[in-house]
Amino acid sequence: MARRELDQYTVPRKVPKVRWLEGSAFPQSDLHFATALHLDGKSDTLAIWSCSNPRQFEITRAEDVKSKFSPVQLAEAPHRGEILDMRVIEGRHPLLATVSSMGEINLYKAMLEGESPSIERVATHRHHGFPDMGVAEATSIAIRPQALNEIASVGEDSRLVLTGVDNIQKTLQRSDRIGTGLSAVCWRSSSSLAVATKTGQVRLFDRRNITKSVQPTLQDEKQRDLLTCIAQHPTETYRLATGNDDGGISIWDVRNMSKPDIKIIKAHNSIVWEVKFHPNQADKLISCSQDGTLVTLNWKQAVDDYVSDATSTRDEHIATYWSSIRNVLSVNSIDYHNRANVLLAGSDSGGILHSAQ
């Protein structure tokens, strides 16, 4: 496998989530991103940063990339509970949508104009819980594509919930209980969704009626590991990727729902926290793991049951391992800037990891 070094900007807290802000509201010469920041025993914090775009410079050496990426924190705001997932709703004033360990959906408005940038919480509502009023973590959130007017969330209460961006207090639809806990959700299109479960299943839903999932339930009979994350291919609505708690990644072709075609790739040595299709090269996947690595993987060239090995020099065209000598802890979250081609990650070592591609 090919190995690459990630540069690291260190902050004094864990970084559970990172997301680029790519809207037209921001200057083209600068990049902006949001992070969740976590300190044990303290409430989480939501922060917004700016940094110079390394693509605006003529970079000839790796050392130059490091010198150009110097994030400046513009604003931060306290957050109730741990931030378990975060998405960006672009606009003149971008909204950050989060879900938390309190079972809540939160919306924050990022106001970056003028001399005093700020983040303001504009709405919050608890959508996930148990009948006895016990707290259920909200584990994942996804924004309806194109329209950007609906939020889908899932939680430990085994329910999928749809709510409107303009009024998150109102539940548009709520599913029946699905299995024994839901870990991740994504929109396959503006009219359909996919949910990953803690028992290794993928469930598909029609947005018009999410009370029941589309049958049949999808599962790989060769493994029943807990699914930790899910991602939709950018152009092929029938193709999904999931990560599991054993370091594996599965690529699902669901055109034949009674017998989906599933390719399994062992990419990591521990829990896969996030997986994404590369926005500009959809034959590649990007994933991060508790094992402290980030992997870019050519899933089309990898065969089924492919096992990657970070110590090997073979198959460098299939997988590239990214790591930092200053980070030995979990890499929790990843994002890729479509325009600037900069890879971003957050880690438990207090690192904002990055690499210009």
Side-chain angles (χ1 to χ4, degrees), residues 43-203:
S43 296
D44 277 11
T45 299
L46 198 59
I48 288 184
W49 308 72
S50 69
C51 62
S52 299
N53 182 352
R55 294 299 171 188
Q56 297 294 321
F57 302 91
E58 187 173 338
I59 299 171
T60 57
R61 299 176 309 175
E63 295 80 26
D64 294 329
V65 179
K66 297 178 185 179
S67 66
K68 301 306 181 185
F69 189 92
S70 298
V72 176
Q73 184 175 321
L74 302 179
E76 67 175 45
H79 188 281
R80 279 169 47 92
E82 293 184 28
I83 299 172
L84 300 184
D85 200 5
M86 177 169 63
R87 303 294 168 188
V88 180
I89 306 172
E90 298 290 0
R92 182 171 178 268
H93 294 298
L95 291 174
L96 298 174
T98 69
V99 287
S100 76
S101 57
M102 305 289 290
E104 296 173 337
I105 298 175
N106 304 276
L107 289 180
Y108 288 78
K109 181 183 290 185
M111 294 170 286
L112 304 182
E113 298 172 345
E115 297 181 357
S116 301
S118 64
I119 310 173
E120 175 188 352
R121 188 171 68 182
V122 294
T124 184
H125 189 74
R126 181 179 166 191
H127 281 282
H128 295 275
F130 294 108
D132 61 358
M133 302 303 293
V135 172
E137 291 184 347
T139 52
S140 180
I141 189 172
I143 311 302
R144 186 183 181 197
Q146 299 169 345
L148 304 178
N149 62 348
E150 288 182 11
I151 297 171
S153 64
V154 295
E156 283 191 330
D157 58 354
S158 301
R159 295 189 187 276
L160 167 64
V161 175
L162 295 186
T163 185
V165 172
D166 293 337
N167 184 6
I168 67 169
Q169 283 77 17
K170 182 180 179 181
T171 299
L172 299 178
Q173 294 189 65
R174 184 187 299 272
S175 73
D176 294 339
R177 291 199 59 177
I178 308 163
T180 58
L182 305 181
S183 51
V185 60
C186 71
W187 289 85
R188 300 177 61 214
S189 67
S190 61
S191 59
S192 62
L193 303 103
V195 165
T197 79
K198 293 187 175 183
T199 53
Q201 298 175 340
V202 170
R203 301 285 190 97

